[in-house]
Amino acid sequence: MELITPEFGLIFWQVLVFGILFFLLAKFAWKPIIQSLHEREESIDQAIKLSEETKKEMAELKAGNEQLLVSARAERDALIKQAKESADAMIAQAKLDAQAAANQEIEKARTAFEQEKVAAVAAIRKEAASLSLDLAEKVLKSQLKDKAAQEKLVSEWIADVTLK
């Protein structure tokens, strides 16, 4: 029962110790504790402000990075397009050059073929003429072995020539 109903002396000493402790804490500890709490509050506020500023800066940097990425992608696409166009132009030019060279070679081959053809025809005509002359000579020699046959042939030629 002593705990539930404390005696007057115990309450007196407890109030006195509490009062002295309160006075000592108020005199020596309360101001530094309050000051440190204010400093802590200010440092927390500054940290929060710094955090918000950093967050804003990060958002701005992120937006800047996104913009840089977009412009870099656009530049990359433009370079790729330009390179493709350049490659296509080079391929087209190479095809044109190859076609022109092929046409030139075909024309040279046609010219050479025509020259060979003309030369071959001339050689065949010359050979045919030579063979015709040899044949005519042999035929004439065989037909003109006697004098009567020669006179008959000459009179037939003259007759043919005068009739024409």
Side-chain angles (χ1 to χ4, degrees), residues 14-30:
Q14 283 182 348
V15 171
L16 182 68
V17 169
F18 179 75
I20 293 171
L21 182 63
F22 184 76
F23 175 74
L24 290 175
L25 285 175
K27 180 99 175 153
F28 297 110
W30 196 258

Side-chain angles (χ1 to χ4, degrees), residues 3 5 37 51 57 66 87 102 127 147-148 161:
L3 288 176
T5 58
L37 286 176
S51 171
E57 288 176 9
E66 289 295 325
E127 188 64 30
K147 185 130 178 119
V161 170

Side-chain angles (χ1 to χ4, degrees), residues 32-131:
I33 290 173
I34 295 294
Q35 185 178 0
S36 67
L37 286 176
H38 283 303
E39 289 173 1
R40 178 74 177 145
E41 184 181 352
E42 288 177 11
S43 68
I44 290 172
D45 286 341
Q46 289 175 355
I48 290 172
K49 288 178 184 176
L50 181 62
S51 171
E52 289 174 357
E53 289 176 9
T54 305
K55 187 176 179 181
K56 286 179 185 177
E57 288 176 9
M58 290 302 290
E60 291 172 2
L61 286 175
K62 185 177 180 183
N65 285 342
E66 289 295 325
Q67 194 173 21
L68 284 175
L69 282 174
V70 167
S71 65
R73 285 183 186 133
E75 187 175 340
R76 178 200 64 196
D77 291 343
L79 286 174
I80 288 172
K81 182 180 178 184
Q82 183 181 9
K84 186 176 181 190
E85 289 173 355
S86 177
D88 290 344
M90 290 172 98
I91 289 171
Q93 184 62 39
K95 284 181 181 179
L96 288 175
D97 291 346
Q99 185 66 35
N103 288 341
Q104 190 177 19
E105 289 298 318
I106 289 171
E107 193 58 39
K108 283 182 184 178
R110 282 187 183 146
T111 304
F113 177 74
E114 287 296 323
Q115 289 174 350
E116 291 292 325
K117 181 180 166 185
V118 168
V121 168
I124 289 172
R125 284 184 183 166
K126 184 177 177 182
E127 188 64 30
S130 174
L131 287 175

